[in-house]
Amino acid sequence: MLQRQTPLSIDWIGDVDGYLDLIDQTRLPERLEYRTCHTSDEVWQAIRQLAVRGAPAIGIAAAYGVILAARDFAGGSERWRPELARALEYFASSRPTAVNLFWALDRLRARADRLPASASADDLRRELLDEARRIHQEDREICREIGRCGAELLADGDGVITHCNTGGLATAEFGTALAAILTAADQGKQLHVFVTETRPLLQGARLTAWELMQHDIPATLICDSAAAQVMKEGRVRSVWVGADRIAANGDVANKIGTYALALLARAHDLPLYVAAPASTFDLSLRSGDEIPIEQRAAEEVAEGFGRRTAPEGVSVYNPAFDVTPAQLIEGIVTEWGVVRPVETAGIRRVLSPAQENRKLSQ
Amino acid sequence: MLQRQTPLSIDWIGDVDGYLDLIDQTRLPERLEYRTCHTSDEVWQAIRQLAVRGAPAIGIAAAYGVILAARDFAGGSERWRPELARALEYFASSRPTAVNLFWALDRLRARADRLPASASADDLRRELLDEARRIHQEDREICREIGRCGAELLADGDGVITHCNTGGLATAEFGTALAAILTAADQGKQLHVFVTETRPLLQGARLTAWELMQHDIPATLICDSAAAQVMKEGRVRSVWVGADRIAANGDVANKIGTYALALLARAHDLPLYVAAPASTFDLSLRSGDEIPIEQRAAEEVAEGFGRRTAPEGVSVYNPAFDVTPAQLIEGIVTEWGVVRPVETAGIRRVLSPAQENRKLSQ
């Protein structure tokens, strides 16, 4: 069975009065450091500053962040309910695109809603911690399932391109697209992974290359702009990415550059696979046009790594995500199976057992 | 008439015993510094380290570099001819892809070949300097012509994407693709230029953004991976790039990422224009497959910005150029007119007056 070779990205230490340890992903690969969060503000900042990033990881971290917010709640439900609502709203404001964040907050809200009016703030804290731990533990299992489903789409000898970071750092464990690669390698398939560095914040160069090296999987770092050339040279058989939000029609919001890779893959007749937990689907949105796209600071582009790389005062356009139309995606790998072809009906079919199961577990 | 707003990228100071001043393009935009070259080795290093870069600028700099090498030549032609051959070979080894380098060296060789056996090393130096100055001066005029031809393809209100740096820094003056943009703006057309930062060495962010700001042309910096999104949003009407070598069939070697932009432009039904002097054509090569592609150091990718951005020991694939097939190119803008459609016969037609003229001027 696949063994984790990297430390846990997110770790809740202790019980209701515990705290959150996050690998500070902004320091990798130079330093592997934990960022300890004793307050909800510290968690909010960690999410905003991308110390913790990756759609599933953001959801897990925010859930624990709400526990830290709830530490100050007191009295009966007439007092803590509005405080909880504010805490959930606060975390919902940390990043706009990844829907797993809102999904995790919704789970906490639903859990609290089921508490009787007589429940104390202590009762609430215990319930919320239990729910956060479930979200965290479920994500581990989901990643393993995504890995298993995705690995079937990878053959011995395959070269693949992957973009951004979709590994253990982005999730509870193993990742989404990267879990497919890790699982296939664990099954004895020889793979070679071309890792796009992923400007502006270099999650591919800093995080994915590091994770693959920890797992001893052959990896080659390339500039984002070299992906088309790697495809043209026949070095890869497929392209693998994660997702931050998927609309009902299968349009996928993911790290800026994904849409370009999808077009380039199509031009070279290579399949693009998206791997993401079912919680990444936002069926309330008909298409990707409705997905809010986070615009990030100019400095990420113009002052890479503490050094000015563009003239002072230059105008910068820095969307953190783009939307890849469903028709450019060969399949979406979820813990419940592969949506293929990517279309509304197929998505509903694959998701329906997940939704039923979620109801059962509540 | 278009006025230069940036300092000369290449400046020969003095006469036969002069020296070469080059803007050190590795220091921009932080510092505008000249790198003074008193020896041929200094020029060779400046080319290799990209202190001077851009296909036409490399040719001009190498030509002056040969003058510095010739400073040590002595005696009659039986002595200086083999020394000159070695100097030409030395500069030919500085960078492999841009054909303008070899073209400039060929012009010096041809000029020397026409000298009688009785010519002294002093005679040679005078001839070489005259030829280098001609190459330099001709490039100024060529850039203006390219600008005039290219500007006709730009309309008032156009947004454009440009990749890498094709401006005054890359040439004697004004540039190639950027000359078209500068000329159109000078004609009163309102343009908005999206500048790809151009990893790994960020010539777009550091050089093109700087040049456009000097000329007061609205410019927005984007990550290379955001170009597809900018196209999708309908912000641009065309894509403009330079070239390092063009095969007889119109396949174009240019900065890594050009091929991707060409595919993305095609997917969005946008024309891609290549702007380059006639000297960029290498009619000895039937197709782009025969163009040698320079592979550059891993550190350019893994230690960008003077800081380690990828794990120690990571494998890196860093081709400096890629090849864009002719069928993805809407037109090639030269000083003799626009090749359009891009195909062997059209290239020969546009180049023939250039070749005849070159013969006349010799």
Side-chain angles (χ1 to χ4, degrees):
Chain A
M1 195 169 114
L2 185 56
Q3 298 298 315
R4 187 163 43 79
Q5 305 296 332
T6 53
L8 281 174
S9 56
I10 301 173
D11 207 2
W12 178 263
I13 311 294
D15 209 331
V16 181
D17 295 321
Y19 60 90
L20 188 62
D21 254 356
L22 302 169
I23 290 181
D24 187 342
Q25 300 190 34
T26 65
R27 312 302 284 272
L28 283 169
E30 286 182 296
R31 279 186 290 279
L32 175 61
E33 280 175 10
Y34 277 89
R35 186 153 159 173
T36 300
C37 301
H38 291 281
T39 70
S40 58
D41 285 352
E42 286 169 345
V43 179
W44 192 94
Q45 289 293 345
I47 294 171
R48 180 71 140 212
Q49 296 163 5
L50 313 197
V52 58
R53 43 139 302 281
I58 290 171
I60 299 163
Y64 286 124
V66 175
I67 318 295
L68 294 173
R71 187 160 295 170
D72 301 328
F73 297 176
S77 65
E78 76 294 345
R79 281 187 59 190
W80 61 251
R81 280 201 196 281
E83 291 182 299
L84 176 64
R86 271 194 298 276
L88 295 169
E89 211 173 302
Y90 175 57
F91 276 101
S93 73
S94 58
R95 294 194 68 195
T97 302
V99 78
N100 318 59
L101 170 66
F102 308 103
W103 168 85
L105 298 174
D106 280 347
R107 279 189 53 168
L108 296 189
R109 182 183 294 112
R111 186 78 180 247
D113 284 350
R114 287 198 299 279
L115 280 174
S118 61
S120 69
D122 271 341
D123 295 334
L124 172 72
R125 281 188 280 271
R126 273 191 299 273
E127 291 290 306
L128 292 180
L129 180 59
D130 183 67
E131 192 66 21
R133 281 181 165 153
R134 275 171 194 256
I135 291 170
H136 195 175
Q137 177 58 28
E138 285 170 25
D139 193 56
R140 281 199 188 92
E141 293 156 18
I142 287 167
C143 289
R144 283 194 178 273
E145 281 307 311
I146 290 174
R148 262 192 282 270
C149 290
E152 292 175 23
L153 301 167
L154 289 161
D156 189 31
D158 275 3
V160 301
I161 290 180
T162 188
H163 189 53
C164 197
N165 174 266
T166 62
L169 290 164
T171 59
E173 205 174 53
F174 298 121
T176 52
L178 213 61
I181 291 166
L182 298 180
T183 305
D186 188 59
Q187 293 167 349
K189 294 173 187 167
Q190 295 291 319
L191 303 176
H192 192 106
V193 185
F194 287 86
V195 178
T196 55
E197 61 170 2
T198 317
R199 282 288 284 157
L201 296 177
L202 303 174
Q203 291 92 340
R206 296 189 302 103
L207 309 178
T208 303
W210 179 77
E211 287 198 48
L212 288 168
M213 287 172 81
Q214 303 292 314
H215 280 269
D216 278 329
I217 294 176
T220 298
L221 179 64
I222 57 171
C223 290
D224 301 318
S225 59
Q229 182 63 19
V230 166
M231 294 178 187
K232 190 189 195 189
E233 292 171 6
R235 295 171 185 258
V236 292
R237 295 281 296 276
S238 56
V239 178
W240 287 79
V241 298
D244 288 81
R245 196 184 298 211
I246 308 176
N249 71 341
D251 290 353
V252 167
N254 190 48
K255 176 58 57 200
I256 187 75
T258 302
Y259 170 54
L261 282 175
L263 288 170
L264 299 175
R266 176 60 54 94
H268 293 92
D269 214 14
L270 298 170
L272 168 76
Y273 294 109
V274 173
S279 57
T280 311
F281 285 87
D282 182 349
L283 301 183
S284 74
L285 305 184
R286 268 171 311 177
S287 82
D289 294 342
E290 299 174 30
I291 300 175
I293 298 297
E294 180 179 7
Q295 302 293 328
R296 292 189 59 92
E299 287 67 32
E300 288 186 353
V301 180
E303 283 184 24
F305 306 89
R307 185 175 150 188
R308 192 84 204 164
T309 58
E312 291 285 347
V314 70
S315 157
V316 175
Y317 179 50
N318 182 24
F321 304 94
D322 57 28
V323 173
T324 299
Q327 61 268 28
L328 293 176
I329 302 166
E330 175 67 23
I332 301 178
V333 180
T334 77
E335 68 273 32
W336 293 93
V338 181
V339 179
R340 185 184 187 184
V342 180
E343 51 183 31
T344 308
I347 289 169
R348 294 199 177 272
R349 201 157 46 237
V350 168
L351 288 190
S352 53
Q355 289 173 323
E356 275 165 32
N357 187 72
R358 212 177 296 152
K359 276 183 206 128
L360 288 175
S361 78
Q362 286 175 359
Chain B
M1 194 168 115
L2 184 56
Q3 297 297 316
R4 187 163 44 79
Q5 304 296 334
T6 53
L8 281 175
S9 55
I10 302 172
D11 208 2
W12 178 262
I13 312 293
D15 209 332
V16 181
D17 296 319
Y19 60 90
L20 189 62
D21 254 356
L22 301 169
I23 290 181
D24 187 343
Q25 300 189 34
T26 65
R27 311 302 285 273
L28 283 169
E30 286 184 295
R31 278 186 291 279
L32 174 62
E33 281 175 10
Y34 277 89
R35 187 153 158 173
T36 300
C37 301
H38 291 281
T39 70
S40 58
D41 285 352
E42 287 169 345
V43 179
W44 192 94
Q45 289 293 345
I47 294 171
R48 179 72 140 212
Q49 296 162 5
L50 313 196
V52 58
R53 46 140 300 282
I58 291 171
I60 298 163
Y64 286 123
V66 174
I67 317 294
L68 294 173
R71 187 161 295 169
D72 301 329
F73 298 176
S77 66
E78 75 294 344
R79 280 187 59 190
W80 61 251
R81 280 201 196 281
E83 291 182 300
L84 176 64
R86 271 194 298 278
L88 295 169
E89 210 172 302
Y90 175 58
F91 277 101
S93 73
S94 59
R95 295 195 67 196
T97 302
V99 77
N100 318 58
L101 171 66
F102 308 104
W103 168 84
L105 298 175
D106 280 347
R107 280 189 52 168
L108 296 189
R109 182 183 294 113
R111 185 76 180 250
D113 284 351
R114 286 199 300 278
L115 280 174
S118 61
S120 69
D122 272 341
D123 295 334
L124 172 71
R125 282 188 280 272
R126 273 190 299 273
E127 291 290 307
L128 292 179
L129 180 60
D130 183 67
E131 192 67 21
R133 282 180 164 153
R134 275 171 193 256
I135 291 169
H136 195 174
Q137 178 57 29
E138 285 170 24
D139 193 57
R140 280 200 190 92
E141 293 157 17
I142 287 167
C143 289
R144 284 195 179 272
E145 281 307 311
I146 290 174
R148 260 191 283 270
C149 289
E152 292 175 23
L153 301 166
L154 289 160
D156 189 32
D158 276 3
V160 301
I161 291 180
T162 189
H163 189 52
C164 198
N165 174 266
T166 62
L169 291 164
T171 59
E173 205 174 54
F174 299 120
T176 53
L178 213 61
I181 292 166
L182 298 180
T183 305
D186 188 59
Q187 293 167 349
K189 296 173 187 167
Q190 294 291 321
L191 303 176
H192 193 105
V193 185
F194 287 86
V195 177
T196 56
E197 61 171 3
T198 317
R199 281 286 285 158
L201 295 177
L202 303 173
Q203 291 93 338
R206 297 189 301 103
L207 310 178
T208 302
W210 179 76
E211 287 197 49
L212 287 167
M213 288 172 81
Q214 302 293 314
H215 281 268
D216 278 328
I217 295 176
T220 298
L221 179 64
I222 58 171
C223 290
D224 301 318
S225 59
Q229 183 63 20
V230 167
M231 294 178 188
K232 190 188 194 188
E233 292 171 6
R235 295 171 184 257
V236 292
R237 295 281 297 275
S238 55
V239 178
W240 287 78
V241 298
D244 288 81
R245 196 184 298 211
I246 308 176
N249 71 340
D251 291 353
V252 167
N254 191 48
K255 176 59 55 200
I256 188 76
T258 303
Y259 170 54
L261 282 175
L263 288 170
L264 300 173
R266 176 59 55 95
H268 293 91
D269 214 14
L270 298 170
L272 168 76
Y273 293 109
V274 173
S279 57
T280 311
F281 284 87
D282 182 350
L283 301 182
S284 73
L285 306 183
R286 267 171 311 178
S287 83
D289 295 342
E290 299 174 31
I291 300 175
I293 298 297
E294 180 178 8
Q295 303 293 328
R296 292 189 59 92
E299 288 66 32
E300 288 186 353
V301 180
E303 286 184 24
F305 321 98
R307 183 178 151 184
R308 190 85 204 165
T309 58
E312 291 284 345
V314 69
S315 158
V316 175
Y317 179 49
N318 183 23
F321 304 94
D322 58 27
V323 173
T324 299
Q327 62 267 26
L328 293 175
I329 303 165
E330 175 67 22
I332 301 178
V333 180
T334 76
E335 68 272 32
W336 293 93
V338 181
V339 179
R340 185 183 187 184
V342 180
E343 51 183 30
T344 309
I347 290 169
R348 293 198 178 273
R349 203 158 42 239
V350 168
L351 288 190
S352 54
Q355 289 174 324
E356 275 164 32
N357 187 71
R358 212 178 297 151
K359 273 181 206 130
L360 288 176
S361 78
Q362 286 177 356

